[in-house]
């Protein structure tokens, strides 16, 4: 047997089972070894019928005291029942829809059952236990792996196949060097494969998990390290005179200490010989835009252009307005470039970028398109970075390679501009280490003075009329209100409870608030319509803004004091926190009302977190716990490979070790070109394989 031995060669695997196994991605013996259990059952201890605890499944050896009886309950549902006993008591065992068991189980024989004992009055029973003959038990007395399954494949069957594969396969090659494993106390590969499937003890399992978690995070760190290495090798613009002091006086407010720290840290990067790669992380409303403006100003002082990319048109337009206001006093020319602009407008902006007449351009993905050329691009800023893939970040930075005016310097191959990344999502530390492992981080942990926390409440339908009264009261005080609902159209799967935004807006306009001015903005509108609706709200021309989550990030209307979120259970906590950040941006007290009829205790507990804290980092940690890193941003746009074993909530220490191990290795062999590192290099590149651009 070798890793490529097809599963059809295994006893008990015919065509039907081979097909079912293929659904699980299992085709060969090697696949089996790499198919890790999802959890484990501790079947080491045996109990008696009378002595078994009721709160968890246990193993009990019993004698079948009567022939199994098959009963039809109704069409499609039957039950096979039998009496069993040991020296302490008798009990009734039922199997649903497993009529074939009548042939498999025989009176007078001993079996080991694994299941949960239930107490009914004064007798005990068990439903659908696993069982094996007591004479030749295979999975009793040990820790049993539990695998993800599919129809036609039982856990016992799959565990049997895995056990056979592990016994038959030659020992796996050890990709990690011996001295390396010793230094980081890592179990061997072959040993770990055995133990992850069939651990002999908790410690045994732990050691295997540690090893695999380390390995995963190590490869990941190496991959990110290679990326960073590639980038830092490039030369970049160096501005030895960079100094933000002259900019502070131009601002209409004084920066918070945290903003100032971020600006000073960025200034130090700009003066240093290697290109800046800095993440500015700050909760919604912490004032990241002013930090970006300061950097663009420093770039301009040094004679270079800047570009800022935002994830949506709305945000690009807003940044454009804000930055224009902040930078015009400094005589900087700010332009806007978005996909929806007319061709003539675009041409004008493109020409001004090429000639250097524009000092800062704000835009969407449109900035990445062909034909966008700069005279001298020295700083790229991305807002809400995690919404862009890592590749886009790279593509954007590559714009600085575009040869500009031939009379000016022609950037060398590998030239990198300074990069500033802004994120309003407080990314949990562990995830940030991975996502932004290649960036320096400034944290803005302070809000501008006078901000008050947004009071947050969770309500059900029964309070809807009172809520409408509250909305009206806010408007009467001169404030404005956001009403957020999830979908533009009725969900095709018949999710009738989703408030479709059009219908919702109609009801509010015509029935609930006929006397108020109600705006509407959603993703299906034309960009111009969206812009008009947002602008009207920002200018105070509408009282209420009904919207989908297009207002999620960054939109800034200080007069808005209340946000109502319908079907709040549909969103992730971080997303709700972002939405909530749309209010409480001015001097007025602010509220967030979450509406949900979902009664599930989990959902309520989740939403309660928001009513209890406004600490974005805590909220993000909760989200990560509940949803896992792959889902953290609602999709996989961040482009990280999925982790099989490592858990970013609990494996922080392993992550740190893996990162320092990767750093040490790359310090010795920056592109893993030494022959002894070739297998590692291959693995790392394969890990990022779905994304070949990654290493270009
Ligand atoms: P975010 O970090 O969410 O992008 P913004 O940069 O949009 O935050 O800033 C939020 C609001 O706070 C804006 O209206 C901005 O003008 C204002 N602001 C930023 N910094 C300060 C400050 N130091 N003092 C007062 N207001 C500030
Ligand atoms: Mg912002």
């Amino acid at each position: 047997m070798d890793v490529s031995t097809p599963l059809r060669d295994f006893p008990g695997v015919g065509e039907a089972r081979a097909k079912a196994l293929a659904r699980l991605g299992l085709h060969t013996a090697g696949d089996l070894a790499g198919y890790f259990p999802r959890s484990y059952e501790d079947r080491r201890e045996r109990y008696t019928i009378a002595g078994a605890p009721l709160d968890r499944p246990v193993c009990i050896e019993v004698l079948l005291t009567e022939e199994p009886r098959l009963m039809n309950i109704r069409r499609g549902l039957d039950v096979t029942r039998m009496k069993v006993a040991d020296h302490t008591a008798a009990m009734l065992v039922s199997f649903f829809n497993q009529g074939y068991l009548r042939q498999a189980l025989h009176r007078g024989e001993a079996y080991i059952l694994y299941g949960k004992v239930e107490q009914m009055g004064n007798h005990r029973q068990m439903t659908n236990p696993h069982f094996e003959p007591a004479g030749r038990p295979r999975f009793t007395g040990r820790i049993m792996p539990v695998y993800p399954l599919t129809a036609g494949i039982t856990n016992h069957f799959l565990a049997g196949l895995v056990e056979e594969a592990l016994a038959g396969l030659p020992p796996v090659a050890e990709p990690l060097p011996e001295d390396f494993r010793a230094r980081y106390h890592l179990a061997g590969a072959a040993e770990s494969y055995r133990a992850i499937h069939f651990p002999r003890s908790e410690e045994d399992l732990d050691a295997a998990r540690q090893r695999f978690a380390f390995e995963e995070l190590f490869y990941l760190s190496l991959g990110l390290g290679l990326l960073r290495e590639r980038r830092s090798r490039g030369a970049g613009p160096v501005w030895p005179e960079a100094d933000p002091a002259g900019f502070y006086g131009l601002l209409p407010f004084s920066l918070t200490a945290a903003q100032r720290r971020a600006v000073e840290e960025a200034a130090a990067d700009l003066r240093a010989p290697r290109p800046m790669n800095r993440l500015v992380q700050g909760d919604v409303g912490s004032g990241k835009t002013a930090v970006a403006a300061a950097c663009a100003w420093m770039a301009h002082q040094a004679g270079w252009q800047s570009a800022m990319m935002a994830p949506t048109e709305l945000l690009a337009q807003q940044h454009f307005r804000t930055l224009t206001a902040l930078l015009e006093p400094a005589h900087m020319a700010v332009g806007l470039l978005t996909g929806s602009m007319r061709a003539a407008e675009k041409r004008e902006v493109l020409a001004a970028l090429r000639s250097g007449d524009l000092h800062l351009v704000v835009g969407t993905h449109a900035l990445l398109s062909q034909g966008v050329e700069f005279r001298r691009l020295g700083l790229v800023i991305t807002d809400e970075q995690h919404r862009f893939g890592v590749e886009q970040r790279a593509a954007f930075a590559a714009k600085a390679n575009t040869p500009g005016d031939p009379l000016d310097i022609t950037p060398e191959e590998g030239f990198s501009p300074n990069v500033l990344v802004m994120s309003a999502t407080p990314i949990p530390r562990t995830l940030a280490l991975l996502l932004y492992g290649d960036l320096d981080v400034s944290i803005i942990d302070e809000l501008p003075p006078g901000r008050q926390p947004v009071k947050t409440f969770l309500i059900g339908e029964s309070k809807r009329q009172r809520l409408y009264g509250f909305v009206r009261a806010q408007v009467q005080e001169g404030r404005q209100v956001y009403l957020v609902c999830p979908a533009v159209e009725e969900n095709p799967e018949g999710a009738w409870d989703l408030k479709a935004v059009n219908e919702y807006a109609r009801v509010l306009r015509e029935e609930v608030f006929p006397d108020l001015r109600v705006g509407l903005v959603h993703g299906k509108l034309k960009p111009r319509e969206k812009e008009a609706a947002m602008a009207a709200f920002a200018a105070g021309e509408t009282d209420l803004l009904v919207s989908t989550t297009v207002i999620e990030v960054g939109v800034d209307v200080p007069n808005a004091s209340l946000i109502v979120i319908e079907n709040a259970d549909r969103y992730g906590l971080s997303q709700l926190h972002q939405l909530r950040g749309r209010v409480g941006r001015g001097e007025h007290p602010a509220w967030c009302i979450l509406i949900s009829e979902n009664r599930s205790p989990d959902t309520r507990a989740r939403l309660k977190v928001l009513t209890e804290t406004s600490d974005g980092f805590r909220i993000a940690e909760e989200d990560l716990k509940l949803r896992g890193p792959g889902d953290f941003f609602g999709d996989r746009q961040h482009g990280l490979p999925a982790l099989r074993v490592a858990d970013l909530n609990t494996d922080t220490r392993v992550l740190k070790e893996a990162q320092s191990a990767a750093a040490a290795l790359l310090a010795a062999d920056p592109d893993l070109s030494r022959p002894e590192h070739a297998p590692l290099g291959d693995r790392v590149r394969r890990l990022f394989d779905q994304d070949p651009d990654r290493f270009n």
Side-chain angles (χ1 to χ4, degrees), residues 24 26 30-42 139 142-149 155-156 158-163 166 191-200 204-206 208-209 212 216 643-646:
L24 299 172
L26 301 174
D31 293 342
L32 285 175
Y35 194 66
F36 288 0
R38 133 173 90 72
S39 61
Y40 301 85
E41 291 169 357
D42 188 351
F139 297 118
R142 56 199 283 188
I143 299 174
M144 174 78 187
V146 179
Y147 296 98
L149 298 174
N155 194 50
H156 275 189
L158 189 50
L161 285 185
V162 172
E163 195 163 45
L166 290 181
E191 186 53 18
S192 299
Y193 273 103
R194 196 266 314 143
I196 199 99
H197 290 288
F198 300 104
R200 299 196 177 110
D204 193 30
L205 174 60
D206 232 44
R209 279 212 39 196
F212 287 122
E216 271 181 338
L643 298 171
R644 281 200 306 176
V645 178

Side-chain angles (χ1 to χ4, degrees), residues 253-256 259 282-290 318-319 322 424 448-449 451 554 556 558 582 585:
F253 41 72
S254 51
L255 293 180
T256 63
Q259 281 172 312
D283 215 341
V284 284
S286 61
K288 293 180 293 296
T289 319
Q318 180 182 295
H319 280 314
T322 315
R451 295 285 171 74
D556 191 23
R582 296 313 102 222
R585 300 172 78 86

